[in-house]
Amino acid sequence: SISLCRFHCCCKSIDCASIIINYYATMTQSAHDLLTSGDGKLSLHYFSIEGVAEQVRIALSVASIPFEDVQVPFSEWQTKKPTTKYGQLPEMILPNGQLITESTAMLRLAGEADPEGKLYPAADVGKRLQIEGALGLTADLARAWRPAIYIGMRPDLFGYPADWARDEKDATLKKLREAFLANELPRYMGYYTNLIKEAGGNAFLLGEDLTIADIAAYQGITYYSRGIADYVPADSLDPYPEVLAFLKRVAEHPKVAAYKASKA
């Protein structure tokens, strides 16, 4: 809430609440203008998978920001890679030609531009702090999983030879992923369950309104229910009913559901 105070200047009474509200409305409008104004069209460049770009796609859709979803074929990546700023995707090109890197920066910008002021509310610093905390939790979950995924893709980064024997690599992957499911996943699902309960148990992580923290968590958590990683069965989230119910609520949010339907 905004406490009301009044400044008296030149015999005029200025309502601080109005000033503050207008200030935050200007912030939202500025973000919206960045994403919609210019000679070009907003474009998001990533591979033809969900990955880290999907949270941005969803947030833009919820904020009703039109964008071009440029999907880079894996077969063209080695040619395109040297042309990217940091040798990685996603990259976002604003209508004014400005390049944006890092998916979390894109996610926050999309949230800032939400005309309803719910995804990343400019006028509520306390809610933003909560959002940042929940975003950090999702980043921590991803960090905990990272060795179990990247050791198979880049074993040399973990002290193993690039031509690591397949049977040895597979055995190590199995060990790491089963350990993650037994230890790290329950720990983090417990954290999310607590957040859900603290928010009332029947809405989103931080209350009644969908935020970018919910979108990031939705993308980060549903990965473990898709059965796409070896030794991570599709029923890995079944022991966490509150989390599953939360994921269902996010998926059924009208604008999220509309985006998903547009891809079907």
Side-chain angles (χ1 to χ4, degrees), residues 10-177:
C10 298
C11 299
K12 293 183 178 179
S13 178
I14 303 175
D15 191 332
C16 289
S18 297
I19 294 175
I20 294 171
I21 290 170
N22 289 336
Y23 170 74
Y24 288 126
T26 300
M27 289 174 60
T28 297
Q29 186 61 49
S30 295
H32 191 275
D33 289 346
L34 269 179
L35 291 168
T36 60
S37 300
D39 295 331
K41 183 179 181 181
L42 177 69
S43 60
L44 179 63
H45 300 247
Y46 194 60
F47 305 107
S48 55
I49 59 174
E50 291 191 1
V52 296
E54 189 69 2
Q55 60 183 358
V56 183
R57 296 178 182 124
I58 294 174
L60 288 170
S61 298
V62 172
S64 302
I65 303 294
F67 68 99
E68 182 181 2
D69 189 12
V70 180
Q71 300 186 357
V72 179
F74 285 107
S75 60
E76 298 177 8
W77 173 234
Q78 291 307 314
T79 300
K80 182 175 178 59
K81 185 175 181 179
T83 70
T84 63
K85 187 169 184 177
Y86 296 128
Q88 62 185 21
L89 295 175
E91 287 189 336
M92 174 184 282
I93 301 177
L94 301 179
N96 65 8
Q98 182 180 349
L99 174 68
I100 305 296
T101 61
E102 304 302 330
S103 58
T104 52
M106 302 172 195
L107 179 65
R108 289 182 176 90
L109 178 59
E112 186 83 70
D114 176 23
E116 295 184 14
K118 295 178 179 180
L119 286 179
Y120 195 47
D124 192 337
V125 175
K127 178 56 72 69
R128 280 203 180 207
L129 286 173
Q130 291 180 307
I131 290 171
E132 290 299 330
L135 287 173
L137 180 62
T138 299
D140 289 343
L141 172 62
R143 190 177 300 111
W145 167 249
R146 197 165 293 143
I149 187 72
Y150 283 110
I151 199 170
M153 301 167 61
R154 292 289 307 275
D156 53 302
L157 296 178
F158 297 89
Y160 294 96
D163 58 351
W164 197 10
R166 184 177 182 84
D167 57 342
E168 293 181 11
K169 179 167 70 172
D170 191 62
T172 302
L173 278 174
K174 184 175 185 294
K175 181 179 179 180
L176 285 174
R177 293 180 182 183

